Amino acid sequence: MKKRRIIVIGGMAAGPSAVAKAARVNPSAEVILFEQTENVSYGICEVPYVISGEIDKEEKLVVYTPERLSQEKRISVKILHRVEKVIPNKHKIVVRNLRNSEIKEYEYDKLILATGASPKKLNIPEEDSRNVFHLRNRDDSKIILNYLKTEKPKRATIIGAGHIGIEMAESFRNIELEVTLIHQYSLPLETLEIETSERILEELNKNKVDFIPNAKIEAFLKSKNEKVDYVLTNRGSFETDMVIVAIGVEPNISLAKSARLRIGNTGAISVNNLQQTSNEDIYAAGDCSEVTNIVTGKPAYITLASVASRSAWVAGENAAGIRSKFAGAINSSAVRIFNLEAAKVGLSSQEAASARFKVVTDLVVSNSKIPLMPENKKVTIK
């Protein structure tokens, strides 16, 4: 009897979770993972803490090496292989070996897209300058760490005050860089409650992060040494030695589009509760796909590693031959800002109102421990 061949495209959180589950559920299946970089499983969320020195070695962020993933999960891992096309009517993919540019076709019975997301770009001239960085994969983190070591910058400009921008601001301040944080909205982390964002702004100011609100990037001015020296905005110009662009991510859907799979209103791949795409033999999971928001019941784009792994387990199980469902997720997040910790679960009051819920709020300030304990701190919950 012919073995079932399950192919997974992409590493990071979703890909390894999918192949591990598929191999466990169906040990007789042939499971292959294709990844275009040299890394299959890496903790990108922890990079700011490597930069600040809290994590002493960048290598510690590697969760699985390709060799370990292959041996422990009994699968075939092909790194430096880029999938360039999916041909659904032939159940084939076209793969380029990036070591020698050789192109080869592989047949599949079931295919899982775990192609992730890419950083959004400003799409302005000079964004490709050698001191302008995005942060999404291990290569990005290594380039930033090397620049800090060799160029020894004194001033950093961060564009975007979401989670990555906030964490990078703290990390740069902890290594004594001057930090300018430029944001298009009036408050940082604007998806949180207003009171929380206001408190975060106070903490940024207290730690000498120069927050520039309601700002639009107009241009980068580059010097003769191929580096950006000034960031020009509608709120003024800012001198800099390096720039981090952290304005969010967008799903990698080029393969899905070429395979004519349905794309949802969020811009990510549309899937059902089996993680199945509009083609019954192709599944998608992780940051390339939509997920049902359990609170609203509607498709959403939630880029969390935990959600990526859980949805990928379901995709792996179904591809392996058993029926499994993913009910969806609640959007939850947490971030540390110097001496402050902030978290959100579900919808903010603004998001709830936009979703046409009747919103009632209350604000509670309490103690983390009984008041006489020296570790007691105030906790605010809305």
Side-chain angles (χ1 to χ4, degrees):
M1 184 177 175
K2 178 178 174 288
K3 278 187 175 183
R4 175 179 294 213
R5 176 180 278 181
I6 301 167
I7 289 179
V8 179
I9 304 172
M12 296 301 281
S17 295
V19 293
K21 182 63 78 170
R24 189 179 307 123
V25 167
N26 189 345
S28 66
E30 180 187 7
V31 183
I32 307 172
L33 173 69
F34 288 98
E35 165 57 40
Q36 64 182 351
T37 71
E38 294 180 314
N39 304 285
V40 293
S41 186
Y42 184 75
I44 196 69
C45 296
E46 294 81 9
V47 169
Y49 305 108
V50 175
I51 289 171
S52 67
E54 289 183 67
I55 299 174
D56 59 353
K57 293 181 180 177
E58 180 271 340
E59 294 82 1
K60 289 183 176 180
L61 301 190
V62 177
V63 182
Y64 277 97
T65 63
E67 296 77 18
R68 183 183 163 209
L69 185 65
S70 177
Q71 291 168 5
E72 291 190 10
K73 307 303 179 183
R74 302 184 307 280
I75 62 170
S76 175
V77 177
K78 296 183 180 293
I79 59 170
L80 296 173
H81 281 67
R82 184 175 65 226
V83 178
E84 300 195 335
K85 191 175 182 182
V86 176
I87 311 173
N89 61 337
K90 294 184 178 180
H91 278 67
K92 287 183 179 181
I93 60 171
V94 179
V95 184
R96 182 183 297 274
N97 184 333
L98 298 178
R99 292 187 177 97
N100 56 22
S101 293
E102 180 185 27
I103 294 178
K104 186 176 178 181
E105 291 186 349
Y106 290 82
E107 291 186 1
Y108 65 83
D109 295 299
K110 301 293 181 181
L111 178 67
I112 302 174
L113 301 180
T115 49
S118 296
K120 288 182 180 178
K121 295 190 175 183
L122 295 165
N123 294 318
I124 62 174
E126 318 304 349
E127 193 172 358
D128 60 350
S129 300
R130 68 185 186 91
N131 67 332
V132 177
F133 308 97
H134 301 81
L135 182 57
R136 189 61 188 173
N137 57 44
R138 189 181 187 187
D139 289 341
D140 294 334
S141 64
K142 283 185 170 183
I143 291 168
I144 293 170
L145 287 165
N146 184 63
Y147 184 85
L148 290 168
K149 181 179 178 180
T150 58
E151 302 287 336
K152 296 182 171 37
K154 291 184 169 64
R155 294 175 296 262
T157 300
I158 301 168
I159 301 171
H163 287 81
I164 291 175
I166 291 286
E167 290 174 344
M168 291 298 289
E170 179 188 354
S171 295
F172 284 151
R173 285 298 299 133
N174 286 340
I175 57 173
E176 299 184 344
L177 269 64
E178 297 175 20
V179 176
T180 300
L181 182 57
I182 300 173
H183 198 45
Q184 63 177 322
Y185 301 107
S186 59
L187 290 170
L189 286 168
E190 71 286 344
T191 58
L192 301 181
E193 295 297 312
I194 291 173
E195 295 90 343
T196 307
S197 294
E198 288 173 342
R199 181 68 186 85
I200 290 169
L201 179 55
E202 290 176 14
E203 190 70 12
L204 291 171
N205 291 334
K206 187 190 301 182
N207 288 277
K208 299 181 179 178
V209 173
D210 187 13
F211 181 76
I212 311 299
N214 302 314
K216 181 181 178 182
I217 306 300
E218 295 181 341
F220 288 151
L221 289 187
K222 191 165 72 170
S223 63
K224 292 180 181 178
N225 62 3
E226 297 304 307
K227 293 196 295 186
V228 169
D229 287 337
Y230 289 91
V231 177
L232 304 188
T233 78
N234 60 326
R235 300 293 308 278
S237 64
F238 303 92
E239 190 174 4
T240 193
D241 297 318
M242 65 183 298
V243 179
I244 302 289
V245 179
I247 56 174
V249 299
E250 53 193 7
N252 294 327
I253 57 172
S254 58
L255 284 176
K257 281 185 171 180
S258 71
R260 297 187 176 181
L261 302 180
R262 186 181 301 120
I263 305 300
N265 291 333
T266 69
I269 303 168
S270 177
V271 293
N272 60 18
N273 60 7
L274 307 177
Q275 295 302 127
Q276 208 167 32
T277 68
S278 52
N279 183 301
E280 65 179 4
D281 292 322
I282 303 178
Y283 300 82
D287 290 356
C288 65
S289 65
E290 293 184 330
V291 62
T292 298
N293 185 312
I294 290 176
V295 182
T296 65
K298 296 178 180 179
Y301 187 51
I302 301 175
T303 55
L304 297 172
S306 56
V307 175
S309 289
R310 293 203 305 273
S311 61
W313 292 337
V314 171
E317 287 177 334
N318 285 303
I322 70 169
R323 191 173 178 85
S324 179
K325 292 183 179 180
F326 183 53
I330 292 175
N331 196 353
S332 61
S333 60
V335 63
R336 188 191 73 192
I337 312 99
F338 299 100
N339 295 310
L340 184 69
E341 294 175 358
K344 170 193 168 187
V345 178
L347 304 178
S348 68
S349 56
Q350 304 98 293
E351 290 169 335
S354 296
R356 297 187 178 180
F357 287 101
K358 181 180 178 182
V359 181
V360 178
T361 67
D362 198 5
L363 196 68
V364 178
V365 180
S366 188
N367 298 299
S368 63
K369 301 180 186 297
I370 58 172
L372 59 88
M373 295 298 292
E375 300 91 353
N376 174 55
K377 295 180 180 179
K378 292 295 181 184
V379 177
T380 302
I381 299 174
K382 186 173 181 182

